[in-house]
Amino acid sequence: MPISHVHGYLRHIMDECAPDRSGAVADYIPELAAVDADGYALSMCMHDGNTYSLGDVGVEFTIQSVSKPLTYALALTRLDVAEVDGKIGVEPSGEAFNEISVDERRRPRNPMINAGAILASSMLLPPVRSLPAGAVDKAFDELVEFYSGCAGRHLTIDEQVYASEAATGSRNRAIVYMLDSFGAVDTDPEAALDLYFRQCSLRVTSDDLAAIAATIAAGGVNPRTGRRVLSNEVAQRLLSVMTTCGMYDGAGDWVTSVGLPAKSGVGGGILAVLPGQLGIGVYSPRLDQHGNSVRGVDTCRRLSRDLGLHMFNVTRESRVSIRSVYSIGEFEVGADWDELQRSYLRTCRDRVRVYELQGDLTFAGAERALRRIESDLDDLDVAIVEISRVGVIDPVARTMLLGIKHTTDVRGQRAMLVDPDGVVRESVDSHRSDFVVPNLNAPEQLRGLDPTLPHVHSTMEAAVRDAEEFQLESFRRP
């Protein structure tokens, strides 16, 4: 199977972001200062669990504050929502992640800053001051099981980072005792802090973050395992709070320019969600002044811009982009051919396949269609994409759809488009100046699209005849 067009888009975006070496790794936790500052990975997990992975995807790093929405979700799952809301607010703080901050009710302003996250961790412990032996271990085991269910694999703790956090966590210790002085902590403050340090020290990869994000995007069902790990209501609450609070005091700029619910961590990770469609995981440890990954933010911004992923994109997304797939066996062989040619064409009807698309196509829908077509190419001479039931195609989906032409050209095959309403032609005419595909891992001469759109037909009959003519080019008479 050829390298995916989507993989090419992602590689192009990484190539654009990689030269930026601004920012600095977190050093207030000594173990974090020892990481490779040049590490860089990008993963995208689609609604069906298919994952695109690029860069240092095998590198494990500690989850840090990306853990906060997960622990908040676990608290919401274990306790009554009203009980959690009584302890932790949901308003943006406009302050740094480690600010000692509460609202007028002396609640942490939201669960995405340290005060709210530590309090959420405390709510997973028994509400008694004198905890039974092993209580923190038991709570941590349950937390790891939940996190692992979201990631789709068993996660483990980085003992060195955990010890480093515990030894240098004076500010977080001040936060938990401040909350305790307000009567907000119902358990042993040191135990709550210990659980928080442990959760932040779990090891993840960019693939794990993408899978967790895709689980939230799917309303709580892990698309890689099919297991429901949180309710749709909790997933909705996470998306709301991550949108307004997930990127700390940079949240407003993030929502405007990226438009994806997200959470960052000082370990260099960013998790971002396109609800109902996909999850993104990025790793790059150099941080900006807000404590967010410099490359991670830039990568997500470019993904949103170039792939049309902003959640307020007004194009409607069809959940089922491929309506049907079939060979041209139901069409009569063309009458223009002689009997020998007709006999040959009858033997290879199954090597021409039609893909009927429907709905309004954005990046996610086009990705599903292209992945299916690319997976079939070894068995085909011709792929015909029929879009009579497609209403709107956004620019990136249009470019991806036409990009299949290059893949088939390289392989000596043919891709055709049946566009009776001129949807793609009209789109190309109105966007001709930007009608270019980024690096698709193809030869240099194939990295741009020809806006003349060869092999576009207004009827299926015309496409079938074109397919027959193409097949006959390889026909040799006995």
Side-chain angles (χ1 to χ4, degrees):
M1 186 174 125
I3 294 176
S4 158
H5 284 70
V6 174
H7 188 279
Y9 273 91
L10 301 183
R11 170 54 61 194
H12 174 74
I13 288 170
M14 288 188 73
D15 288 345
E16 287 187 328
C17 297
D20 188 351
R21 288 179 167 78
S22 61
V25 299
D27 58 6
Y28 66 93
I29 300 171
E31 281 294 319
L32 295 186
V35 303
D36 178 8
D38 289 326
Y40 187 23
L42 170 61
S43 301
M44 179 179 288
C45 183
M46 308 307 295
H47 78 106
D48 59 358
N50 184 70
T51 302
Y52 299 93
S53 305
L54 297 91
D56 299 320
V57 293
V59 172
E60 289 191 321
F61 52 95
T62 51
I63 192 169
Q64 297 298 328
S65 289
V66 182
S67 67
K68 291 172 180 176
L70 298 182
T71 295
Y72 182 56
L74 190 55
L76 289 168
T77 300
R78 294 280 183 82
L79 306 170
D80 182 80
V81 172
E83 183 178 352
V84 177
D85 283 347
K87 294 276 191 179
I88 305 170
V90 292
E91 296 296 331
S93 68
E95 298 170 327
F97 67 93
N98 60 355
E99 191 70 23
I100 301 177
S101 173
V102 292
D103 63 17
E104 65 280 356
R105 296 169 56 184
R106 292 190 168 183
R107 298 178 307 172
R109 293 186 184 277
N110 63 69
M112 302 296 119
I113 58 174
N114 288 12
I118 294 169
L119 194 53
S121 297
S122 79
M123 298 174 77
L124 302 180
L125 293 166
V128 294
R129 304 295 289 189
S130 181
L131 290 173
V136 177
D137 291 339
K138 181 175 184 295
F140 181 63
D141 288 345
E142 292 171 351
L143 181 146
V144 171
E145 181 181 3
F146 176 69
Y147 281 34
S148 299
C150 293
R153 75 174 184 101
H154 182 69
L155 303 181
T156 59
I157 191 170
D158 186 318
E159 295 288 355
Q160 287 72 35
V161 171
Y162 164 57
S164 188
E165 294 216 30
T168 59
S170 298
R171 190 175 186 87
N172 285 324
R173 189 161 280 106
I175 289 172
V176 75
Y177 278 103
M178 175 198 69
L179 294 172
D180 187 46
S181 73
F182 296 155
V185 181
D186 295 330
T187 190
D188 178 359
E190 287 291 338
L193 192 61
D194 185 39
L195 182 58
Y196 175 72
F197 287 149
R198 294 193 199 190
Q199 77 178 45
C200 291
S201 302
L202 286 170
R203 296 189 185 99
V204 291
T205 65
S206 61
D207 276 2
D208 293 330
L209 295 188
I212 294 167
T215 298
I216 300 170
V221 176
N222 186 309
R224 306 187 79 174
T225 65
R227 177 187 168 198
R228 176 169 287 282
V229 290
L230 62 150
S231 71
N232 187 70
E233 292 75 19
V234 169
Q236 180 176 304
R237 171 65 74 99
L238 291 188
L239 290 170
S240 300
V241 177
M242 288 164 64
T243 298
T244 57
C245 310
M247 301 301 284
Y248 305 126
D249 44 338
D253 178 66
W254 175 272
V255 172
T256 303
S257 62
V258 180
L260 297 172
K263 188 70 197 77
S264 63
V266 295
I270 293 181
L271 170 156
V273 183
L274 182 56
Q277 297 185 41
L278 55 86
I280 296 167
V282 189
Y283 168 65
S284 183
R286 287 193 178 94
L287 310 179
D288 62 18
Q289 71 274 20
H290 303 298
N292 300 324
S293 166
V294 174
R295 280 181 182 157
V297 170
D298 193 23
T299 300
C300 290
R301 182 178 289 115
R302 290 173 186 267
L303 286 169
S304 177
R305 180 195 68 195
D306 295 351
L307 304 185
L309 302 185
H310 198 294
M311 66 180 174
F312 296 133
N313 184 341
V314 296
T315 301
R316 301 183 306 278
E317 172 67 21
S318 170
R319 277 300 290 168
V320 182
S321 296
I322 300 179
R323 182 174 183 268
S324 62
V325 179
Y326 54 89
S327 74
I328 61 169
E330 64 183 69
F331 292 88
E332 290 292 331
V333 175
D336 295 340
W337 320 119
D338 63 36
E339 190 52 43
L340 193 57
Q341 291 171 323
R342 289 166 59 84
S343 295
Y344 171 75
L345 289 172
R346 290 189 190 99
T347 67
C348 51
R349 304 303 267 176
D350 61 337
R351 293 194 62 81
V352 180
R353 199 162 298 173
V354 179
Y355 300 83
E356 288 188 358
L357 307 188
Q358 67 179 10
D360 289 352
L361 288 184
T362 60
F363 166 77
E367 183 275 337
R368 290 194 289 272
L370 280 181
R371 179 151 44 94
R372 172 61 191 275
I373 294 169
E374 288 172 343
S375 70
D376 292 345
L377 284 180
D378 286 344
D379 301 319
L380 300 182
D381 296 326
V382 180
I384 301 175
V385 181
E386 202 271 357
I387 61 169
S388 63
R389 293 174 177 82
V390 170
V392 175
I393 302 179
D394 76 7
V396 70
R398 171 205 71 217
T399 305
M400 291 170 66
L401 193 61
L402 291 168
I404 192 66
K405 170 186 180 295
H406 296 312
T407 300
T408 53
D409 283 353
V410 169
R411 294 168 58 97
Q413 298 164 307
R414 179 162 292 178
M416 301 177 188
L417 195 67
V418 177
D419 183 16
D421 299 319
V423 173
V424 168
R425 185 174 297 280
E426 178 182 328
S427 181
V428 169
D429 289 342
S430 62
H431 295 86
R432 190 172 296 272
S433 63
D434 67 347
F435 200 70
V436 178
V437 176
N439 179 0
L440 298 180
N441 296 291
E444 187 67 35
Q445 68 271 22
L446 297 178
R447 291 181 185 171
L449 279 177
D450 178 2
T452 57
L453 300 176
H455 310 303
V456 176
H457 301 284
S458 59
T459 67
M460 181 60 69
E461 289 73 19
V464 170
R465 190 190 188 289
D466 191 2
E468 291 174 346
E469 187 173 346
F470 177 76
Q471 288 184 310
L472 286 175
E473 290 176 4
S474 62
F475 173 63
R476 297 291 182 270
R477 291 180 180 275

